[in-house]
Amino acid sequence: MASVMGLLEERETAVRAAVEELQVEADRILAELGVAEAVLERRVIARVELAEALAAGGDAADPPRLEVQVPARPARVDKVPVAGATVVRCREGMTVEALAPEYRRIVELLQGEGGDGEGVSAKELAARLGLELVPAKIEGVRSRAKRLVEREWLKASPSGRFMPRASGAPAAGS
């Protein structure tokens, strides 16, 4: 019986290591995506600025008003987030509506807390979200909460408990 338990523990450890490696790879890809989006945005702005400057010619005193065709690109906040989508960095004026549903629920849950300043553990979050309290579900919640901390939607205590951002955080549903 002990050897069977040992075998199961070895398999669990191997799968846990694979999950961690995949999470690192996913984080790396998301970081690269963020950089690529920023470069694209800068290039679009540069092209528009150049087109305006060329259209103005040398007369800076009275520049002509031209309609510059910018590729249709909806604002990130206007997109409907989907499950598994990247988490956008929290900026002034953003609401939780910019987040995918599984992330939005975490932020709204923490914002709805009266809060004693100690924060909520990943296990408590999983329970309040109605998830089964097994390591996989708890670690999934912890991973999402950490990503929300990295993107400035939440903050974390040194002990690893999560809480809403203090001032300047977007209000739930606003």
Side-chain angles (χ1 to χ4, degrees):
M1 183 66 154
S3 65
V4 172
M5 292 301 286
L7 179 62
L8 290 175
E9 287 176 0
E10 286 177 23
R11 286 184 173 185
E12 179 182 342
T13 302
V15 171
R16 188 177 309 278
V19 166
E20 288 174 6
E21 288 176 18
L22 289 170
Q23 185 63 50
V24 168
E25 180 70 7
D27 290 343
R28 183 191 63 77
I29 290 170
L30 289 175
E32 285 183 25
L33 176 63
V35 169
E37 286 177 334
V39 169
L40 175 62
E41 188 172 338
R42 285 195 316 267
R43 298 237 166 107
V44 168
I45 291 170
R47 186 175 51 77
V48 169
E49 290 290 326
L50 179 62
E52 288 176 358
L54 291 174
D59 190 11
D62 189 23
R65 307 224 185 267
L66 297 175
E67 289 293 319
V68 178
Q69 294 297 322
V70 178
R73 183 173 175 221
R76 291 183 189 197
V77 178
D78 295 338
K79 290 182 181 178
V80 176
V82 295
T86 58
V87 178
V88 295
R89 184 164 299 282
C90 183
R91 294 186 300 266
E92 178 124 2
M94 279 189 136
T95 68
V96 294
E97 301 304 314
L99 296 171
E102 67 268 21
Y103 291 97
R104 185 181 317 139
R105 288 180 58 207
I106 293 171
V107 173
E108 289 174 340
L109 189 146
L110 289 172
Q111 286 176 342
E113 292 287 311
D116 52 4
E118 290 184 22
V120 178
S121 71
K123 185 174 184 177
E124 293 168 333
L125 270 174
R128 292 177 188 176
L129 290 168
L131 300 175
E132 186 179 358
L133 296 181
V134 296
K137 298 288 186 185
I138 294 168
E139 289 306 313
V141 169
R142 184 184 326 279
S143 175
R144 286 185 191 96
K146 283 183 175 181
R147 194 163 295 120
L148 287 164
V149 169
E150 291 169 3
R151 305 304 195 284
E152 301 175 356
W153 287 94
L154 300 176
K155 62 181 182 176
S157 70
S159 64
R161 296 175 72 82
F162 302 98
M163 57 203 86
R165 299 287 302 170
S167 61
S174 61

